[in-house]
Amino acid sequence: MHPDIESERHSPSFNVEELTNILDGDAQNTALRRKVESIIHGEPELSLKDNYFMTQNERYEAAVKKKFHILMLAHRLGWSEGSRELQYASRSVSGDLSFGIHQIFQKTIRSLGSEEQIAKWDPLCSKFQILGTYAQTEMGHGTYLQGLETEATYDAATQEFVVHSPTMTAIKWWPGDLGRSATHALVQAQLICSGARQGMHAFIVPIRSLDDHSPLPGITIGDIGPKMDFEHTDNGFLKLDHVRIPRENMLNRFAKVLPDGAYVKLGVPQTNYLSMVVVRVEVLLDEVIPLLQKACIIAIRYSVIRRHDPEAKVLDYQTQQQKLLPPLAMAYAFHFVGNHLLEFFRSSYSLILNRDFTLLPELHALSAGLKAMLSDLCTQAVEQCRRACGGHGYSKLSGLPSLLTRVTASCTYEGENTVLYLQTARFLIKSYLNTQKSPGSASKGSLPQSVAYLTAPDLARCPAQTAADFLRPELYTAAWAHVAVRLIKDSVHHLQTLRQAGADEHDAWNQTTVIHIQATKAHLHYVTVKIFTEALEKLESQPAIQQVLRRLCDLYALHGILTNAGDFLHDGFLSGAQIDMARKAYLDLLRLIRKDAILLTDAFDFTDQCLNSALGCYDGHAYERLFQWAQRSPTNTEGNPAYEKYIRPLLQGQRARL
């Protein structure tokens, strides 16, 4: 153990194991996770150690191999589909597995398919008798689902749908598992029946032979080529040329086409988004938030063994604390937000499947907005962690570049963030307008829980008189509520003013989108602070942990206030003197949290094998590992063909001239 990191773990102010149990859900989950990790790390086929030295083809094959071995392990050990064991197995290999989109294919069938369709297709998916992909994004259209061009035209004479890509921009582009693996695609296409367009619906389309894996007639398919990351995933393209599928292959829980071509709607249009909501919640918990947690571990551990002078560790400098401790606070805040969103999703999902759509608008708005904000902030924070490690942070062997390129993708997949912010904004505007209706109005309904603060009593001025006042959760939660309400009200005012001046709905919206996004972000900050503070209230029986997490909550809230100080100063809610108080409270928190920083990252409990970082190892021997790992590079083990071809002749030619 490196003495500089060992000293950080002496005399802990809280029980790290208890905090790990809280993050895992309970002590039993922690024990089970570690048991699974021990099994996974004992399998040589599941090692990540050579990932940084592999080509795209090698990464793809290695990911398929890992998935195959984990499935064999699961069968042997009795790990059931969807079990915690399989979830922990995926975490153990950092999600470096193939067929992730196959799971989305299966979950979409469960969400949008009828009971008969689920009975037919779900067992085939579970037994891997087919491999699925989710084909929504097209070359010319992504998050704008109404713009999708792929068509599914019903032919009543044969009771088939004819699925077709009518233009170059209609080619499906980006779906994972499509390029080389999938046998079936869940194709999102515009339904045309009885001569009328009925909007986007989901269709199961066979794309490769189950005998020899060759493309089926009418199918043009392949891999889209090199990407920033996700080289283990075969993102692909799919061009459909009048491909016929049975009528029963349209998922029909919420809408169906009768044999004669009549269209029957059983739900609301928003149900088409349900599968995306499912994925967004899981992406935050299983991909985005863990990437930030890992970046914090690596950067903070490295910052206590790196010294600029013999007297001080780099993490002792306030500037380094300012770089790394706000991301650490975010990692904890977002953990509790993710759990809250998951609980809300679970309580809503069964109702929606039973065609009770009461909670769907709020679930869609909350999942869309939080996916956008968390992926945006996590991407910025991971890059901050990478930069905080200096030159070594640029080395792939640090693990940080891979974390950055993976989390960057989350700003686009499952909904481009700007579009998602604006979807949440529409929900906020509708909710605010509902508060303005007269009490007796028939259309005035109760507000969803996440926006109930729109009608709460508002503070016109912040009552803080000292820096310590800014460490009161009720004060900074009220401050965020005030700013969110003001900005939402302001965005509605700008929109209505333009409409009253004669602008059409599209132009009025387009001219106010920047204001809407600003309001949405304030709302999401408020939601995050509120969820974090409420989660901490449940830890009264563990005061030491509650205290250290309270500091992180305070830091998150104040970091947001200081970063967006103009929004709080705009209407005089905060004064310049109060901003100074908030800054003092914030800087004092940096010093206090710094003492527990290593322990707070230890509580995330990622193994060295899972981190796969020369800089972030638990024992702190970063330099030794960096040197050892560099020597394993093929550039050092496979000779230098350029020497014989070019360098040697160049040197000999120059020598002859001399």
Side-chain angles (χ1 to χ4, degrees), residues 466-589:
T466 66
D469 288 337
F470 280 97
L471 302 180
R472 289 165 41 210
E474 65 275 15
L475 185 142
Y476 54 66
T477 304
W480 273 112
H482 170 85
V483 165
V485 170
R486 181 181 66 77
L487 289 173
I488 293 167
K489 181 179 179 180
D490 189 46
S491 73
V492 172
H493 172 72
H494 278 81
L495 188 64
Q496 291 178 328
T497 300
L498 284 169
R499 285 177 178 170
Q500 289 163 5
D504 65 33
E505 190 169 340
H506 177 270
D507 284 345
W509 178 257
N510 186 46
Q511 291 180 53
T512 52
T513 48
V514 171
I515 301 171
H516 296 318
I517 288 177
Q518 184 184 12
T520 299
K521 289 181 178 179
H523 163 72
L524 294 167
H525 274 296
Y526 162 76
V527 167
T528 301
V529 170
K530 185 170 183 290
I531 290 170
F532 200 175
T533 56
E534 289 176 352
L536 297 186
E537 289 169 6
K538 299 173 184 176
L539 298 176
E540 294 288 350
S541 62
Q542 296 165 289
I545 289 175
Q546 187 185 48
Q547 182 186 52
V548 73
L549 293 184
R550 173 71 70 205
R551 289 170 181 163
L552 290 173
C553 185
D554 296 344
L555 189 74
Y556 176 84
L558 293 180
H559 180 264
I561 289 172
L562 294 170
T563 303
N564 301 279
D567 292 338
F568 293 84
L569 291 165
H570 181 273
D571 63 345
F573 179 80
L574 286 182
S575 66
Q578 286 175 320
I579 289 289
D580 289 341
M581 295 174 200
R583 180 174 292 109
K584 181 182 185 309
Y586 171 82
L587 295 176
D588 288 345
L589 283 168

Side-chain angles (χ1 to χ4, degrees), residues 136-137 142-144 276 280 368 371-372 375 409-420 423:
Q136 175 174 299
T137 301
T143 308
Y144 179 55
M276 296 182 71
R280 281 177 195 145
K371 182 270 177 185
S375 58
S410 70
C411 296
T412 308
Y413 64 58
E414 303 311 326
E416 194 280 329
N417 283 357
T418 300
V419 177
L420 296 188
Q423 288 177 0

Side-chain angles (χ1 to χ4, degrees), residues 139-392:
M139 190 179 282
H141 299 278
T143 308
Y144 179 55
L145 302 186
Q146 294 93 330
L148 294 177
E149 296 180 81
T150 302
E151 296 173 347
T153 305
Y154 184 63
D155 182 350
T158 62
Q159 292 196 29
E160 293 175 313
F161 291 104
V162 181
V163 189
H164 182 58
S165 308
T167 64
M168 176 68 70
T169 48
I171 295 171
K172 296 297 182 183
W173 197 270
W174 279 109
D177 297 336
L178 173 62
R180 305 169 74 175
S181 307
T183 63
H184 290 66
L186 199 148
V187 175
Q188 293 283 7
Q190 301 290 351
L191 169 63
I192 303 172
C193 58
S194 300
R197 286 182 172 265
Q198 300 293 351
M200 185 184 70
H201 291 71
F203 302 83
I204 298 174
V205 181
I207 55 176
R208 285 188 176 96
S209 166
L210 291 173
D211 295 324
D212 63 5
H213 214 57
S214 60
L216 293 173
I219 299 292
T220 303
I221 197 168
D223 188 280
I224 64 170
K227 310 168 293 257
M228 274 180 72
D229 204 318
F230 286 92
E231 292 189 329
H232 65 286
T233 300
D234 54 323
N235 297 88
F237 60 80
L238 173 65
K239 187 174 186 292
L240 299 137
D241 185 3
H242 298 93
V243 176
R244 288 181 171 269
I245 60 171
R247 181 176 65 92
E248 294 76 18
N249 280 28
M250 181 181 118
L251 298 186
N252 59 20
R253 178 183 290 273
F254 300 113
K256 61 184 177 181
V257 175
L258 301 180
D260 63 358
Y263 178 71
V264 180
K265 184 165 63 173
L266 304 169
V268 295
Q270 290 85 353
T271 53
N272 281 325
Y273 295 87
L274 184 57
S275 57
M276 296 182 71
V277 171
V278 174
V279 177
R280 281 177 195 145
V281 174
E282 292 183 348
V283 157
L284 288 178
L285 286 165
D286 299 337
E287 175 76 9
V288 177
I289 297 168
L291 292 172
L292 175 57
Q293 292 172 343
K294 290 178 183 179
C296 290
I297 295 169
I298 294 167
I300 290 173
R301 285 180 179 172
Y302 179 60
S303 292
V304 300
I305 62 108
R306 180 79 173 189
R307 290 176 178 268
H308 279 182
D309 64 63
E311 300 302 317
K313 302 172 180 179
V314 170
L315 194 59
D316 291 332
Y317 295 110
Q318 189 183 63
T319 49
Q320 190 77 346
Q321 294 166 16
Q322 154 72 2
K323 291 175 188 175
L324 295 180
L325 300 186
L328 180 62
M330 284 180 198
Y332 273 91
F334 297 164
H335 166 83
F336 291 108
V337 167
N339 280 351
H340 175 90
L341 185 59
L342 180 62
E343 289 173 12
F344 180 45
F345 167 75
R346 285 174 174 166
S347 65
S348 310
Y349 187 62
S350 58
L351 295 174
I352 294 167
L353 291 184
N354 289 314
R355 303 195 179 110
D356 178 347
F357 305 113
T358 310
L359 295 175
L360 182 56
E362 183 182 22
L363 177 62
H364 173 62
L366 203 56
S367 63
L370 288 173
K371 182 270 177 185
M373 187 181 81
L374 267 61
S375 58
D376 267 354
L377 294 180
C378 284
T379 298
Q380 295 167 20
V382 171
E383 168 64 358
Q384 193 147 297
C385 289
R386 189 196 65 76
R387 291 188 187 187
C389 292
H392 292 324

